[in-house]
Amino acid sequence: MAFNSKSVKFRFINCQCFEIKLPNGKTIVTDPCYDFPHENKIQKVFGLDGFHTSDIEACDYVILNHTHGDHIANLGEIIERFSPKVICHTGVAAELAETYRDMELTSIYPVDYDGVCYFDGFRLETFHGEHKPQRFTYRKSMEDGDVISGDPRLTRLHTLGGLFNMNYLLTLDNGFRAAFIGGTDDGMTERLRSIRPNLAFRNKLANDMDVEKVAREWLSFMKDSWSQLVVPMHFEVWENMQPGFSAETFQRANELAEEEGILARILPVERTKWYGIHMCAEEE
Ligand SMILES: [Fe+2]
């Protein structure tokens, strides 16, 4: 006989966008980006076919890691459809209000680094984050604009995305803890050693297409995450350029973890597919 207690349910959609259903019924959407034209090269490698804001089931909160186009392309539609509370770093809050000016002001919830905030269904702890190197200037970014959405209204938010980057830890009402880490390590390995989350969402660590090399990079994060489960994100480039590469790499990382006695496992998430995490007790 088995006794199940549901911890959390989530699905990876695209880039760093997840729909996360909390045990109290509230839903968080992270970095909404999935539906944009597939015309230029970057749109093609970041794209997802056939998923629209109408497919998002619910959204009480949006949490933004940063505001580059591949993290906010569909934020406007999400705001229109669900009127969520949008949790973002203070540095981008005023520009969000300026861009989505029909939003109620208290629907924007600015937070700072190393803060703790309480919401219905979760506690949010924030950490300084750093984007992977941006080898261009403010001037260049403002000239180029957001090449993902192609929406000129997002130019400034997109540019600020290279400045403000926020990692965080969600602690749910049942004690389940999920860390969300984009960009560079920026001290997260040190923090995770004491946080010891149940689950760590982590973006793609490198751009290589070498199974063994990339599997070993994930293995090293699995070890450093001090978590039970690692959930990879922002690897749609692999899915679009070499289908099957990510599944093979994640499988190899799990084999290596088994061989080396590392406790964490990586979940080879398929985009838009729901996954439930439960704590299960059974007689042995
Ligand atoms: Fe970015």
Side-chain angles (χ1 to χ4, degrees), residues 174-193:
N174 54 12
F176 187 86
R177 290 181 305 156
F180 192 100
I181 307 147
T184 69
D185 180 76
D186 197 23
M188 286 310 295
T189 299
E190 286 299 317
R191 294 184 180 102
L192 289 165
R193 195 193 303 271

Side-chain angles (χ1 to χ4, degrees), residues 15 19 28 37 54 59 78 95 108 115 118 125 136 144-145 150 152 171 176 186 189 220 225 231-232 238 277:
C15 295
E19 188 175 358
I28 298 172
S54 54
C59 178
I78 289 275
E95 188 58 30
I108 299 173
Y118 295 85
E125 280 169 73
F136 48 83
D144 291 350
T171 302
F176 187 86
D186 197 23
T189 299
S220 133
S225 71
V231 177
W238 291 334
I277 297 183

